[in-house]
Amino acid sequence: MSPLVALVVGLLLGGVVVATVIIRSRPDLGRISGDDAAATAPEAALTRRLVDLIDPAIVFVGTDDSVLLANPAARALGIVRGDRLLVPELLALSHGVRSGGSRRADVRLPGDLVGSGPRLVGAHGVRLDSGTVTRPGPVALVLQDVTEARRVEAVRRDFVANVGHELKTPVGALALLAEAIEGAADDPEAVQRFAGRIAVEADRLGRLVRELIDLSRLQGGEPLPELSRVEVDRVLAEAVDRTRTAARAKKLDIVVGGQPDLVVRGVESQLATAVTNLLANAVAYSPGESRIAVAARARSGFAEIAVTDSGIGIPRADRHRVFERFYRVDQSRASSTGGTGLGLAIVKHVASNHGGSVSVWSEEGLGSTFTLRIPLAGADDRPVADPAPAPAPQTLENERS
């Protein structure tokens, strides 16, 4: 909870405590003079207004577990119905607060209550009685949605763990190879062989570091450069040129086709990197002596760049995860393909930064098609505004996600 929100909640709860004590200690409150009523009415209205306007959900729970007050944010979460609190964990928290004082807990709200999938809320419960009251009084529950914060925290932990693991592999290999060279100083052939392996591992380590830096920049580490008109033909030519050597090593043909002379607004280097990553992925997972096709076309205000291979394909259960950082469909092939698991994550962020998207169609044993969609540039140098997705063609590509 931010300091500002905490301050407002503290002031609010302080006012409610005062009001509660006054109500408990003055049963004749209904018989107060007109001057007193005029003085307290604006304060009560202001307190209720604050409760209704504050962002965190606030629920006041009475000693009989009935809901004395719930602001609109609490009712929007679906946790209150009438004067009942529907979440057993929140009721248990209020009992603990009533008997033991202030408490905090993370509570998971079921998706059928929230209406938009399960949510995780951070709940802070405080007692509303004062030290002079002998019986426990009402409890205030302040709830704040922490679903995204916890997700980001988990992603950060996973990212740090994955980076450590990925860096450890080539670094460890380099250390072992250095020891092997030292032990084989009198064997020129062994030294040459180990030196070749060192070069491979050093290249893998350098590629991992470069892709980590690229991903950091794309995720907001640096502002996006100014967009300019970019010819799609130039992007495709650059990407094909970058992957031609790897493709020839596996006797793969890269065929370029589609609609020529398309122009998008973007950063040419980033777009070339994205298409290069798609082609490199196709090369890595395609069998030798086969064909990879890359084609572009204009559709619904977007340039669609599709890269198709006839490789091993992606299992249905893995398709929604292929754009995650460090995720590999076949971990056993990681060392043989030399991939870092960051290429498709970079493609996803390039597409997002350009106001586009990337999707995949795949079938095991038949291959995969990755489609990058980037907004076209208009004649006045502005992208064509047509965010509506195009209907899927009545072909096998209907299964694209």
Side-chain angles (χ1 to χ4, degrees):
M1 185 180 298
S2 67
L4 179 60
V5 172
L7 176 61
V8 174
V9 172
L11 293 174
L12 174 62
L13 294 181
V16 175
V17 169
V18 172
T20 303
V21 173
I22 292 174
I23 292 172
R24 285 177 172 272
S25 62
R26 295 186 56 185
D28 61 338
L29 190 61
R31 299 191 296 274
I32 60 178
S33 65
D35 291 341
D36 291 340
T40 57
E43 295 176 0
L46 179 60
T47 300
R48 181 56 190 265
R49 183 67 172 164
L50 282 173
V51 172
D52 288 344
L53 292 180
I54 200 168
D55 285 337
I58 298 178
V59 181
F60 296 149
V61 183
T63 55
D64 58 352
D65 289 343
S66 63
V67 175
L68 304 178
L69 184 148
N71 68 349
R75 296 192 178 275
L77 287 176
I79 60 176
V80 175
R81 181 178 299 162
D83 63 349
R84 292 190 303 115
L85 190 59
L86 303 180
V87 183
E89 291 83 356
L90 291 177
L91 281 175
L93 177 63
S94 68
H95 294 164
V97 170
R98 194 173 290 120
S99 61
S102 176
R103 294 189 178 183
R104 297 177 183 269
D106 285 348
V107 177
R108 189 169 299 277
L109 304 182
D112 56 348
L113 285 181
V114 183
S116 60
R119 309 297 292 176
L120 189 68
V121 295
H124 181 198
V126 293
R127 292 169 55 173
L128 294 181
D129 51 25
S130 67
T132 60
V133 179
T134 56
R135 290 190 309 161
V139 169
L141 299 177
V142 182
L143 314 175
Q144 195 163 28
D145 192 337
V146 295
T147 307
E148 185 64 16
R150 296 293 186 269
R151 187 194 68 80
V152 170
E153 183 180 348
V155 169
R156 181 190 61 79
R157 286 197 305 267
D158 291 344
F159 180 72
V160 171
N162 286 330
V163 167
H165 174 75
E166 294 294 333
L167 289 174
K168 183 171 62 177
T169 301
V171 169
L174 288 172
L176 291 174
L177 289 168
E179 292 179 4
I181 286 181
E182 185 178 5
D186 298 330
D187 187 347
E189 292 184 2
V191 169
Q192 187 175 5
R193 185 171 65 254
F194 293 144
R197 288 300 307 167
I198 285 178
V200 171
E201 295 298 335
D203 180 70
R204 180 182 178 186
L205 181 60
R207 186 165 62 253
L208 176 59
V209 172
R210 287 194 302 271
E211 291 187 350
L212 284 171
I213 294 173
D214 289 343
L215 193 58
S216 175
R217 290 172 176 169
L218 292 170
Q219 288 183 307
E222 294 182 1
L224 187 68
E226 183 178 354
L227 302 183
S228 59
R229 292 174 63 87
V230 177
E231 297 178 5
V232 175
D233 291 343
R234 286 171 54 89
V235 171
L236 299 186
E238 174 66 19
V240 170
D241 185 63
R242 293 182 186 180
T243 53
R244 181 175 287 114
T245 301
R248 284 176 177 172
K250 295 183 67 174
K251 298 181 179 180
L252 295 171
D253 291 329
I254 300 179
V255 180
V256 181
Q259 185 176 344
D261 302 325
L262 298 180
V263 179
V264 297
R265 275 184 61 84
V267 181
E268 183 171 342
S269 60
Q270 290 189 10
L271 294 174
T273 296
V275 179
T276 299
N277 287 351
L278 293 179
L279 282 173
N281 191 70
V283 169
Y285 290 96
S286 291
E289 300 182 358
S290 60
R291 175 177 295 182
I292 296 171
V294 55
R297 65 174 176 176
R299 188 173 186 181
S300 300
F302 287 81
E304 292 188 347
I305 302 172
V307 176
T308 303
D309 64 65
S310 55
I312 60 175
I314 304 170
R316 185 177 298 273
D318 294 311
R319 290 174 201 164
H320 70 287
R321 299 194 60 189
V322 294
F323 297 104
E324 295 179 11
R325 292 171 297 188
F326 297 112
Y327 186 78
R328 299 185 183 93
V329 174
D330 187 355
Q331 293 288 346
S332 63
R333 291 173 58 94
S335 58
S336 61
T337 60
T340 64
L342 293 174
L344 294 180
I346 290 174
V347 175
K348 176 183 175 182
H349 285 287
V350 169
S352 177
N353 288 348
H354 284 75
S357 63
V358 61
S359 60
V360 59
W361 170 91
S362 186
E363 196 68 39
E364 289 186 88
L366 296 179
S368 305
T369 296
F370 287 85
T371 303
L372 177 65
R373 303 179 78 237
I374 303 296
L376 288 166
D380 56 356
D381 242 8
R382 292 196 301 268
V384 178
D386 185 5
Q394 300 301 314
T395 66
L396 187 60
E397 292 189 0
N398 283 351
E399 293 187 31
R400 291 186 186 181
S401 58

